[in-house]
Amino acid sequence: MTTRQRHIAHLHLHAALNGRQYNDVMEVMSGVTPHVQAVPPNAVQLDLTSAIRYFDLSAYDVVQLAKLRLKALYGVDSSAGLASNRMLAAMAADASAPGETTWVPADRVANWLYPRPVTALPGVGRTTAETLHRYGLHTIGQITDLPSVTLQRLLGVGQARLLAERARGHDPRPVTLSEPAVHLVADLVLERDCLDPAQHHRAVLGLADQIGQRLRGESQIASRLTLTVRYADRSSTTRTRTLPEPTNHSPALTVAALSLLAGLGLQRARVRAFMIRADDLLPTDGAYRQLLLDPGDARARAAEAAADRARRRFGPGAICPAALAN
């Protein structure tokens, strides 16, 4: 008995979508295949294994059909990756120029992965990359050629085994049906690649303040914050932190966001864009908040409420953090 080859597509949506629009995209994709997984805030994954038989098309042509429907119905441009599993499809999408599709057939996975940088593998952050680079390991192929015992000495047993599996293109995860998560997103695409840590700090500060304003405007609080940094070479790094308590207080969100930024160590990184996503949203009236004896906290929240009233009356630019003032 032979196992049917899986065909997984990962679509990057080149548009800033709100929750309703993202739901519309998910509905359109469910008309291509019932096996659709949300990858918020701007991607979806499709298992096309059964769809290619239904449409009597190649997997590549089904991807083009999905992209055409997105463009025709909603004007959403997309780039895509097509491969035999979710990880490879996402990596192929990252390697695709806007509007293009990168297909990695099953018999070419090793050749496609071999010259790619280790940072292209999911889960390889800057700390892991720096450790590998110190020992002359810069490409995925060098990881696959390395004896497993040596890799375990460098990274530890658990991480080494996972990295070795990913370097060989293995990913058993299925595409699971899921509703898009409730979230808010604020992003900033810089005019040019930026190396200045002070500008990185200002960008993240401004995005955290935007998220706080939007949460308060919609009477919601967030339990988790995610920072994504996209670099000049189109690679990206994502870090997530659960907040000490659900909040929409801008200073608390800013502390968490800047802490995530500091943990990335971007001193010499050429940054193209930042994105902050607030997840696990709850209504404000159903939330708890730790009471503090410090009267400064109450004054800060009162000032924040007054600033929100001023923005509603005079526009969003009426008041901003001092660090963002021109």
Side-chain angles (χ1 to χ4, degrees):
M1 180 178 178
T2 59
T3 302
R4 186 166 51 168
Q5 176 65 51
R6 290 201 303 164
H7 297 278
I8 310 298
H10 184 107
L11 271 64
H12 279 317
L13 312 175
H14 300 290
L17 304 177
N18 59 35
R20 179 184 59 78
Q21 292 169 327
Y22 193 82
N23 282 328
D24 290 341
V25 166
M26 291 287 290
E27 185 174 352
V28 169
M29 292 298 95
S30 68
V32 176
T33 172
H35 306 289
V36 183
Q37 180 164 342
V39 187
N42 59 351
V44 292
Q45 287 191 333
L46 317 174
D47 188 334
L48 304 178
T49 307
S50 59
I52 58 177
R53 300 180 65 185
Y54 177 81
F55 288 104
D56 194 22
L57 296 171
S58 70
Y60 183 89
D61 288 337
V62 176
V63 173
Q64 305 317 303
L65 173 64
K67 293 170 63 179
L68 182 61
R69 289 188 177 184
L70 285 175
K71 182 64 175 177
L73 293 174
Y74 296 108
V76 174
D77 292 311
S78 59
S79 53
L82 176 63
S84 58
N85 62 52
R86 291 180 56 193
M87 181 195 75
L88 289 171
M91 292 176 65
D94 286 339
S96 300
E100 300 296 324
T101 300
T102 299
W103 186 9
V104 184
D107 59 352
R108 301 180 189 171
V109 168
N111 290 337
W112 187 78
L113 285 174
Y114 202 92
R116 299 189 63 75
V118 292
T119 51
L121 284 174
V124 177
R126 291 191 172 273
T127 300
T128 301
E130 288 172 0
T131 299
L132 295 172
H133 292 168
R134 272 201 309 272
Y135 292 93
L137 301 171
H138 299 277
T139 67
I140 295 175
Q142 289 174 313
I143 299 296
T144 60
D145 290 342
L146 196 68
S148 59
V149 174
T150 304
L151 189 60
Q152 289 174 17
R153 288 174 179 171
L154 298 181
L155 301 178
V157 175
Q159 188 177 5
R161 287 178 177 172
L162 180 59
L163 183 60
E165 286 293 302
R166 290 176 175 173
R168 289 173 173 80
H170 299 162
D171 180 12
R173 297 173 301 160
V175 172
T176 56
L177 304 181
S178 62
E179 294 297 326
V182 178
H183 63 272
L184 283 178
V185 173
D187 60 2
L188 175 66
V189 179
L190 304 176
E191 293 183 0
R192 58 181 63 87
D193 301 340
C194 179
L195 290 161
D196 184 3
Q199 293 300 319
H200 299 167
H201 184 281
R202 282 172 54 87
V204 172
L205 173 62
L207 292 177
D209 189 59
Q210 287 181 38
I211 288 289
Q213 292 180 42
R214 291 177 58 191
L215 286 170
R216 294 191 298 275
E218 298 182 17
S219 299
Q220 292 182 311
I221 55 174
S223 304
R224 189 156 45 96
L225 213 61
T226 297
L227 172 66
T228 298
V229 181
R230 186 167 292 277
Y231 307 105
D233 62 358
R234 292 210 301 264
S235 66
S236 62
T237 304
T238 299
R239 292 291 183 271
T240 299
R241 172 163 299 181
T242 299
L243 300 172
E245 65 180 29
T247 187
N248 57 18
H249 188 37
S250 286
L253 296 170
T254 298
V255 168
L258 292 178
S259 176
L260 289 170
L261 176 66
L264 293 177
L266 301 181
Q267 286 83 355
R268 295 184 298 277
R270 296 172 60 84
V271 176
R272 175 65 57 83
F274 291 95
M275 183 187 73
I276 290 180
R277 187 177 78 239
D279 290 304
D280 297 341
L281 305 188
L282 301 168
T284 304
D285 55 10
Y288 65 87
R289 178 165 67 88
Q290 179 66 45
L291 297 177
L292 301 177
L293 298 178
D294 180 11
D297 180 68
R299 288 196 294 268
R301 292 177 183 272
E304 187 173 66
D308 288 341
R309 290 193 295 271
R311 292 188 187 100
R312 287 194 294 270
R313 182 173 181 180
F314 300 108
I319 297 178
C320 68
L324 300 179
N326 294 326

